[in-house]
Amino acid sequence: MDGTALVLGGGGPVGGAWLTGVLAGLADGGIDLTAADTVIGTSAGAVFGTRLVSGETARDLYERQLADLDRVDMGVTTAQTLRFLWAALATRDPERSVRRLGRAALTARPTPAHDLHDTVRTLLNGATAWPAATLRITAVDAETGTVEAFDADSGLDLADAVAASCAVPLVWPPAAALGRRWIDGGTRSTGNLQLASGHRQVLAVTPIPTAVGPHPGAHQQAAELRAAGTHTTLIAPDADARRAMGRNLTANARRPAAARAGHRQGTALAASVARTWPVRRSTGD
């Protein structure tokens, strides 16, 4: 095993805001997020992971949330939510569950307020090309239910890869890329920690640690990585953060409070994370 991986999970606009707060809190506490050899991003984590490795600082990401920038108006309806839950929860078989979600996404005719690709290009805030750092963006094949991790060698435009990772079933149409159709990378695993297998050290930040449906949660995946010999630190929302985030993770009004709660949590955890994760060297070193 070798190298370090930073894994950033999905969580909608509110979960993404919390995630930026955690990253800023860790960075303010001295954690060197740029030390990650690999960044793995899912959905909201794909957006902010891309921007992080493309040169934005964690502090910039956080302050944009406080300023109500990077806003996403998803306009999720009750009918979409119920159909999503019906598809995900009607079976205890994880493979059948993800395929049901894929079929639901392929047959639905959502009418989103904004085009997904336009939304993603705006959210990427100027990041247009795959960065030099190793970045992996997850998406799920809508027909087979398999998870793919796109990278610079996949032959896919960066914005298209992130759009595929953000294509929430029934809210946005599946994203077409590489001759296949893709749905949100968090459909079967909100964090996709399993993709960090083989790294010596993993730092995972997951706004939603428990997946909807019979799929492995982040805590289970972290335990499996540890059992395989990977030192794994998992950060999920604490009680205060969950209250700040609320239940509707598309509610833009909650983003600033969620970001602040994430920052408090990241700041409080920085010292413990620093025991195993690289820290920034002071200018006097």
Side-chain angles (χ1 to χ4, degrees), residues 73-76 80 109-116 119 170-173:
D73 295 307
M74 295 180 65
V76 181
Q80 289 170 329
R109 294 293 180 267
T111 55
H114 305 283
D115 178 78
L116 174 59
T119 298
L170 303 169
V171 177
W172 274 302

Side-chain angles (χ1 to χ4, degrees), residues 67-216:
D68 196 27
L69 301 175
D70 299 330
R71 185 183 184 92
V72 182
D73 295 307
M74 295 180 65
V76 181
T77 67
T78 300
Q80 289 170 329
T81 301
L82 291 175
R83 190 173 180 193
F84 182 99
L85 293 174
W86 171 252
L89 299 174
T91 174
R92 295 183 179 181
D93 183 333
E95 299 303 322
R96 289 185 62 190
S97 175
V98 72
R99 287 196 297 270
R100 282 175 58 90
L101 278 167
R103 285 196 299 271
L106 290 168
T107 57
R109 294 293 180 267
T111 55
H114 305 283
D115 178 78
L116 174 59
H117 287 77
D118 289 343
T119 298
V120 165
R121 289 187 180 93
T122 299
L123 285 174
L124 289 181
N125 198 29
T128 58
W130 286 94
T134 301
L135 173 66
R136 304 179 72 192
I137 302 298
T138 71
V140 171
D141 187 306
E143 295 183 356
T144 68
T146 57
V147 178
E148 183 85 14
F150 301 120
D151 59 22
D153 297 323
S154 297
L156 187 61
D157 179 83
L158 174 62
D160 289 341
V162 177
S165 190
C166 293
V168 180
L170 303 169
V171 177
W172 274 302
L178 303 178
R180 296 154 74 183
R181 287 182 290 178
W182 306 91
I183 54 178
D184 194 297
T187 302
R188 64 184 303 157
S189 171
T190 56
N192 285 304
L193 276 72
Q194 79 282 0
L195 297 176
S197 175
H199 287 84
R200 180 185 71 258
Q201 192 154 316
V202 170
L203 172 59
V205 184
T206 56
I208 307 175
T210 303
V212 177
H215 306 290

